[in-house]
Amino acid sequence: TWPSVEEVSEYRRQVRDRIDALITSGKFELTLPLQFKDSACNDNNAFWWIVTMGCEHERIHLETASVHVRELPKKYVKEEMSAFWKKCPKQSNTAPENELVGVDGGSVVLGRPKDSPIYGWDCDYSEGDVVKVNPFKASKFLVSNAEYYHFMKEGGYKERKYWDEEGWSWVQFRKPEHPYFWVRDEASEWGYKLRLQTEEIDIPWNWPAEVNHLEATAFLKFKSEKLNKLVRLPTESEWLLLRDRFVREDQNEWKKAPGNVNLEHFASSCPVDMFAQGPLYDIVGNVWQHTANPMYPYSGYRVQPYYDDFSLPTFDGRHMSMKGGAWISTGNEASRDARFAFRRHFYQFIGIRYIEPMSDDEVDREPFKAVNVGLDPEVEATTHFAFAKSVCGVPNVNTQMAEIALSAFRTHASADVASSAQRALDLYCGAGRITFELTSTFNEVVGSDFTSRKLMPAFAMKERGDTSYVARTLPVDGAPTERTMVEAKSYPWAATYERATFFQADPSNMHAHMTNFDLIVAFNVLENTHSPHLVPAHLLSRLNVGGILVVGSSFVWGEVCNVDVAHSPLYAPDADHLQVLRDLLVADGAAEEVSTDVSSVVAAFPDSLSTGSVRNIKVTAFKKLK
């Protein structure tokens, strides 16, 4: 049951009071400037970095929430709130004719320096690489609704030739006829209205067209055909050149925002010819701008440990970078070096500026597809642990655990559960080896981990049928440095791996939809959970009656574990861990212990290709009785 609004509000008040108390307590000394390079070096810096990160993330929530409000059916929003969402009053039935403006080449510095006093997300920072940008021509304006309408009018959504493979698949699935925020209305003069946050207005033809990346790419194929020359989206570097040359000041230096950004002008888009920035308009603000390149890590990229999956999952070649900010982008979002990315089908307040390169240089996205490989030693080790035939000479324990779990399920699950084998859950799944092994038996297998960062290899395998890692990112031990490719076709689950689904979750407080499982495998979970004693009963509550819970643990508590003996006898130095586990699950008759083929297995957890910690994993299984 969902909590009431009042309960949620009270919880929020308690959290806010707690944070306010910590901020004003004087416990954490604030030393300025607070910089990314020192953000995790001590408790004081860590605290203030997290507070700042929370503030900046709320800015992202503000923008995201505004998109969701605009997506809601009108019956769920109050039109009187339009007084809050003050739209730009300048709307026209005509739009300025776009043109291409020559831009001299030059050099740009990528990213934010790591000693910058301005907050940034980990993907914003670089080693200060300088990139040469060739001359090009840029559209004077963002593409207006009127300019985009020509694409619609000539059947652009029905012409396969304008769409790449991903785009055409999306068209076949969604069957779009116009941009997402347009509303068909035969009673209006032009047949369309534009949905804003709380109201619909006649299409303002001089406002920017808001489209996803797939639509933007198709439109520019159409535009190139009409102009009889190549026009395309700008790269990040080309956009940076425009910003450095014609906007110059950054967000923290503005006396007044130079465009429709930072919520300083309107709570909507505005005409594309309203804010001049040099010879162009809207280099920053109004709507975000699609770029031609996928999101990628700058040189020297380092994961920020307090939000370790903010950027890494986007370095997959499928998330496209966007720049410039929209009318509602504030703080970091409105700064030069802000870098955000979405999948190509995703909608945001985002539009199109196009460029004509001086040479026919299409941007090749292929090199970006594995740029996250080798960036994160922990993820590389997780992938190696999952898919290597052996670790430190010890056979892969994941396949052993999967075999033990399946054997226990086939032998001890109730007949109706065993015959259907609908759903299984693999906790602390990392790169997903056990998850994929279980797909050969179950119709659906959910893999779950604490952080989506560790799930990246699993997502790659699920989506592409392969994943890879680079051994050199493990601590140096003279091992090979080549990239290792792992392909689903090499495993017995080649025909079933798409049955896997992955979610980030806390095993002691899982999402409501993570329930009704016939088999749950909890390998290496207890020793990596904040409150291990709460996990077994919680897992049992998500298991179907007659289903099997398999637990494999070394009972060597990790740093995250709150192992106060006052909480549970499980943490006593001389505890009989398996007996305590039995007491937690069997005592009230909710479950019974059933035998497994083995009582323990040996597991090697890698530090490198040839070194790691070897532990004895005790294995037991329980059948849910009620």
Side-chain angles (χ1 to χ4, degrees):
T1 303
W2 286 97
S4 67
V5 172
E6 292 74 19
E7 289 173 315
V8 173
S9 297
E10 176 56 28
Y11 173 75
R12 286 168 57 86
R13 279 190 289 271
Q14 291 178 22
V15 172
R16 176 59 187 266
D17 290 345
R18 176 62 174 153
I19 298 300
D20 285 349
L22 286 171
I23 289 173
T24 59
S25 67
K27 179 179 179 180
F28 299 100
E29 181 181 353
L30 174 60
T31 303
L32 295 175
L34 187 63
Q35 300 171 334
F36 178 82
K37 66 183 182 66
D38 300 322
S39 61
C41 69
N42 57 53
D43 288 348
N44 292 328
N45 284 9
F47 174 79
W48 290 108
W49 189 267
I50 291 170
V51 168
T52 307
M53 180 176 68
C55 295
E56 288 294 336
H57 207 271
E58 277 299 279
R59 297 179 186 272
I60 297 174
H61 288 168
L62 171 66
E63 182 162 340
T64 303
S66 71
V67 176
H68 292 331
V69 169
R70 199 175 176 188
E71 290 177 315
L72 281 172
K74 279 188 65 183
K75 65 182 179 180
Y76 295 123
V77 298
K78 296 179 179 179
E79 288 199 23
E80 58 265 31
M81 287 301 293
S82 60
F84 174 81
W85 299 100
K86 293 181 179 179
K87 65 180 180 292
C88 175
K90 297 184 178 183
Q91 303 150 35
S92 174
N93 288 339
T94 61
E97 193 73 25
N98 218 340
E99 60 183 281
L100 289 160
V101 177
V103 179
D104 292 335
S107 297
V108 294
V109 178
L110 298 181
R112 196 185 306 277
K114 293 180 180 179
D115 60 356
S116 168
I118 306 301
Y119 178 86
W121 300 99
D122 53 17
C123 58
D124 297 355
Y125 295 91
S126 82
E127 300 289 355
D129 291 346
V130 176
V131 174
K132 182 181 177 182
V133 179
N134 294 324
F136 59 92
K137 293 180 180 179
S139 61
K140 186 174 184 176
F141 308 111
L142 298 178
V143 171
S144 65
N145 286 321
E147 188 174 5
Y148 188 82
Y149 182 65
H150 291 295
F151 170 71
M152 292 171 51
K153 190 176 180 181
E154 296 196 27
Y157 282 104
K158 293 180 172 59
E159 286 285 352
R160 173 66 179 89
K161 64 181 179 178
Y162 298 132
W163 300 85
D164 58 27
E165 183 177 352
E166 182 182 356
W168 190 243
S169 294
W170 174 79
V171 168
Q172 298 296 100
F173 174 70
R174 289 296 299 267
K175 297 178 172 52
E177 297 180 351
H178 51 73
Y180 185 61
F181 295 117
W182 290 28
V183 179
R184 194 81 171 119
D185 185 349
E186 298 295 344
S188 65
E189 181 179 3
W190 299 100
Y192 294 98
K193 286 185 177 292
L194 181 68
R195 169 63 188 270
L196 302 183
Q197 264 59 41
T198 61
E199 59 183 319
E200 293 174 0
I201 64 174
D202 287 335
I203 286 286
W205 294 108
N206 58 340
W207 287 16
E210 297 164 301
V211 297
N212 66 28
H213 197 278
L214 300 170
E215 292 169 301
T217 304
F219 169 79
L220 292 180
K221 285 275 186 71
F222 166 82
K223 193 72 178 181
S224 297
E225 180 180 271
K226 296 302 177 184
L227 294 174
N228 198 30
K229 58 185 175 184
L230 173 67
V231 290
R232 60 164 172 79
L233 295 169
T235 63
E236 276 193 67
S237 299
E238 288 162 342
W239 181 88
L240 285 170
L241 183 71
L242 297 178
R243 197 199 189 287
D244 289 351
R245 187 166 293 168
F246 301 126
V247 181
R248 299 187 181 90
E249 290 182 331
D250 210 346
Q251 191 267 357
N252 60 304
E253 301 167 324
W254 295 336
K255 292 182 180 178
K256 185 69 173 177
N260 186 18
V261 69
N262 211 42
L263 280 173
E264 292 190 40
H265 296 282
F266 308 109
S268 75
S269 298
C270 69
V272 296
D273 58 352
M274 191 168 182
F275 288 96
Q277 295 157 9
L280 308 180
Y281 287 75
D282 294 332
I283 296 170
V284 298
N286 215 354
V287 291
W288 290 90
Q289 295 167 48
H290 291 292
T291 73
N293 58 264
M295 190 67 160
Y296 68 98
Y298 286 149
S299 65
Y301 171 82
R302 293 292 181 272
V303 174
Q304 215 297 328
Y306 307 131
Y307 199 157
D308 61 5
D309 55 4
F310 181 86
S311 303
L312 267 173
T314 70
F315 299 154
D316 61 356
R318 299 184 176 206
H319 288 73
M320 304 303 292
S321 176
M322 62 189 203
K323 299 292 288 184
W327 52 269
I328 197 170
S329 305
T330 63
N332 165 272
E333 292 178 293
S335 67
R336 173 194 188 269
D337 298 309
R339 304 179 76 218
F340 294 90
F342 289 111
R343 290 288 291 265
R344 298 182 68 209
H345 64 276
F346 199 89
Y347 282 102
Q348 187 74 12
F349 304 146
I350 186 166
I352 308 168
R353 183 183 303 282
Y354 51 86
I355 74 153
E356 177 191 355
M358 293 297 96
S359 58
D360 292 341
D361 58 336
E362 286 278 14
V363 177
D364 182 10
R365 296 206 304 269
E366 192 66 28
F368 294 93
K369 287 188 176 178
V371 292
N372 57 0
V373 176
L375 290 177
D376 189 336
E378 193 172 356
V379 172
E380 307 304 314
T382 297
T383 313
H384 179 61
F385 174 71
F387 294 107
K389 290 183 178 179
S390 64
V391 177
C392 305
V394 177
N396 191 307
V397 70
N398 294 283
T399 56
Q400 296 179 66
M401 282 301 303
E403 290 167 2
I404 291 168
L406 288 172
S407 175
F409 177 78
R410 291 170 184 139
T411 304
H412 298 291
S414 62
D416 57 331
V417 171
S419 62
S420 61
Q422 291 297 316
R423 278 165 60 87
L425 172 64
D426 172 25
L427 288 162
Y428 203 59
C429 70
R433 180 63 182 275
I434 293 176
T435 310
F436 291 121
E437 294 285 343
L438 298 180
T439 62
S440 298
T441 298
F442 290 87
N443 293 326
E444 179 187 3
V445 184
V446 175
S448 174
D449 206 290
F450 296 96
T451 169
S452 61
R453 168 176 145 248
K454 288 187 178 179
L455 291 174
M456 288 190 302
F459 279 122
M461 183 69 80
K462 157 83 173 179
E463 293 191 0
R464 299 196 306 260
D466 62 63
T467 191
S468 57
Y469 63 97
V470 179
R472 62 175 167 75
T473 59
L474 306 179
V476 176
D477 63 353
T481 62
E482 68 271 9
R483 175 176 160 190
T484 300
M485 177 66 74
V486 183
E487 296 178 303
K489 65 182 182 181
S490 303
Y491 295 91
W493 34 268
T496 59
Y497 70 91
E498 291 182 335
R499 296 177 182 176
T501 308
F502 297 94
F503 295 103
Q504 180 181 6
D506 178 350
S508 63
N509 185 24
M510 292 188 291
H511 306 298
H513 65 82
M514 296 177 67
T515 190
N516 297 327
F517 293 105
D518 297 327
L519 171 67
I520 297 177
V521 181
F523 166 51
N524 200 30
V525 173
L526 300 181
E527 52 267 62
N528 289 288
T529 310
H530 181 264
S531 301
H533 67 287
L534 299 178
V535 172
H538 185 60
L539 298 186
L540 201 64
S541 73
R542 302 305 178 94
L543 192 65
N544 289 327
V545 172
I548 301 296
L549 167 63
V550 176
V551 180
S553 178
S554 66
F555 299 101
V556 177
W557 309 119
E559 293 181 359
V560 300
C561 297
N562 181 17
V563 288
D564 189 335
V565 176
H567 292 152
S568 172
L570 188 66
Y571 311 132
D574 57 349
D576 182 341
H577 297 108
L578 286 181
Q579 185 56 51
V580 175
L581 191 61
R582 294 184 190 103
D583 294 340
L584 288 170
L585 292 172
V586 176
D588 65 350
E592 65 175 353
E593 187 175 19
V594 295
S595 64
T596 61
D597 294 335
V598 295
S599 59
S600 67
V601 293
V602 177
F605 299 92
D607 299 317
S608 72
L609 285 183
S610 60
T611 63
S613 56
V614 178
R615 297 177 190 168
N616 188 54
I617 306 298
K618 299 176 182 178
V619 184
T620 187
F622 299 87
K623 179 179 180 179
K624 184 172 180 177
L625 300 178
K626 63 179 182 179

